Amino acid sequence: MMDSRTIAGPKPSLLMEQHKHNFTKSEHKIYEYILSNPNQVLYHSLTELSELSGVAEATVLRFFRKLGFKGFQDFKFLFAQEVPAADHSENDESFIYRIRNNIIQAVEDTSDVVDAETLEKCIRAINDSSDVVIFGIGSSGIAGLDMQNRLMRIGKHVSVITDSHFQIMRASSLNENSVVIAISLTGSTKDIIDAVKIAKEKNAAVIALTTYVKSPLTKYADHILLSSAKESPLDSGSLVSKIAQLYLIDLICTGLTMNNFKDAESVKREITEHIASKLY
């Protein structure tokens, strides 16, 4: 569902045009890249835009704030409303297949980019820690809750925190024996990054579940597991991207189950018996 916020004032492209005579040399690079790659920009992280335009991240942020935006994400949301969208005038039957194909493609693409060695390191880190904390906000928080459910069912003690203030408090109590699983599709959610930065200062291990190999989040990550379902700002929280996240979570949880098969099966059996008493 589209955010209720719409463009109220000059379009982002018009704003850039109006201010381009005041752009510095670096800002002109950003401007030219956006004009040449409007659709691609919607799927970039801040770090990717910085690298592809050949300009420092701080300069990119100043560029958008100079135009009156809060940051890159704010710009992308409004810019997505003026970039011509793909034609989705297909009939009801074809949109059913289109969604199915998008989901299948997201899982297949994510499977292709998963590094088996990194996955094993993530599984080992979680397995060896008795202090596992999951950070996620919004749609990623929902994925985090599912991960908590999966891990609890195999006997792993884990907590998920979806409130940004609680994340900061919990991060402050971590230590070198703690493991943080940070879930963020863009890797640019400021609240998550603020909490993860504190976690690193406390020497906790950080696992990032994200789509972008280079983002503010991955700078603090010890292990990076990539999904392959980028979304435009107008598709934020889409089912396709969430399924890609859940696929990574399933890989981790299945790996943990395999490493502790007997104990995991025993816990799962006991939980099933207790839950059965809740059913008529």
Side-chain angles (χ1 to χ4, degrees):
M1 183 177 177
M2 191 182 201
D3 195 298
S4 59
R5 182 184 171 199
T6 56
I7 300 175
K11 295 178 180 179
S13 60
L14 183 57
L15 273 175
M16 290 189 292
E17 183 70 24
Q18 290 172 338
H19 289 81
K20 71 176 183 180
H21 62 285
N22 290 322
F23 287 165
T24 63
K25 185 177 179 180
S26 293
E27 290 170 343
H28 266 290
K29 287 184 179 180
I30 303 167
Y31 171 65
E32 294 296 336
Y33 181 82
I34 292 172
L35 284 190
S36 301
N37 305 276
N39 286 288
Q40 292 90 325
V41 165
L42 299 179
Y43 297 90
H44 286 340
S45 67
L46 176 66
T47 307
E48 287 178 330
L49 177 59
S50 167
E51 292 191 352
L52 291 167
S53 60
V55 176
E57 283 187 33
T59 304
V60 175
L61 272 177
R62 281 197 300 270
F63 171 78
F64 292 117
R65 287 170 181 165
K66 184 176 181 178
L67 294 171
F69 300 104
K70 296 176 183 177
F72 183 39
Q73 296 302 316
D74 188 37
F75 167 83
K76 280 204 299 184
F77 176 76
L78 294 176
F79 192 51
Q81 296 180 47
E82 76 168 288
V83 172
D87 180 16
H88 294 311
S89 59
E90 297 95 333
N91 58 40
D92 288 348
E93 183 179 15
S94 64
F95 91 74
I96 294 172
Y97 289 106
R98 188 176 71 249
I99 292 173
R100 182 201 65 177
N101 291 338
N102 286 345
I103 289 173
I104 292 171
Q105 191 66 52
V107 172
E108 288 181 345
D109 289 347
T110 299
S111 179
D112 289 340
V113 299
V114 169
D115 180 76
E117 185 178 347
T118 301
L119 175 62
E120 184 54 40
K121 287 179 180 177
C122 293
I123 292 169
R124 195 179 307 127
I126 296 169
N127 186 67
D128 294 344
S129 175
S130 59
D131 185 25
V132 180
V133 185
I134 303 168
F135 290 161
I137 288 177
S139 179
S140 294
I142 297 171
L145 287 166
D146 182 80
M147 187 174 199
Q148 181 192 41
N149 177 56
R150 290 288 309 279
L151 291 175
M152 287 176 66
R153 283 178 175 271
I154 59 174
K156 191 68 185 176
H157 297 285
V158 58
S159 59
V160 57
I161 304 176
T162 60
D163 179 274
S164 59
H165 290 239
F166 289 168
Q167 287 172 356
I168 294 295
M169 287 189 283
R170 187 65 176 89
S172 300
S173 69
L174 301 175
N175 57 45
E176 66 276 4
N177 299 314
S178 306
V179 173
V180 169
I181 304 168
I183 308 176
S184 173
L185 194 73
T186 64
S188 298
T189 304
K190 188 178 184 302
D191 290 333
I192 293 290
I193 295 160
D194 289 344
V196 166
K197 185 177 180 181
I198 294 172
K200 285 306 298 176
E201 291 171 356
K202 295 295 183 178
N203 297 315
V206 175
I207 298 171
L209 271 57
T210 184
T211 296
Y212 299 95
V213 67
K214 293 182 179 180
S215 68
L217 172 62
T218 56
K219 292 176 184 177
Y220 299 104
D222 298 289
H223 311 294
I224 304 167
L225 277 179
L226 296 174
S227 62
S228 186
K230 295 185 178 182
E231 59 184 16
S232 85
L234 299 184
D235 295 326
S236 182
S238 71
L239 178 62
V240 173
S241 59
K242 196 180 286 90
I243 284 175
Q245 290 177 325
L246 294 176
Y247 175 70
L248 289 180
I249 289 169
D250 204 355
L251 292 178
I252 292 172
C253 295
T254 300
L256 284 164
T257 302
M258 292 171 64
N259 285 359
N260 303 275
F261 183 75
K262 288 185 178 179
D263 290 341
E265 284 299 302
S266 176
V267 172
K268 284 166 67 176
R269 192 178 304 111
E270 188 173 344
I271 288 174
T272 301
E273 289 173 358
H274 291 162
I275 289 178
S277 66
K278 301 292 185 182
L279 304 174
Y280 285 104

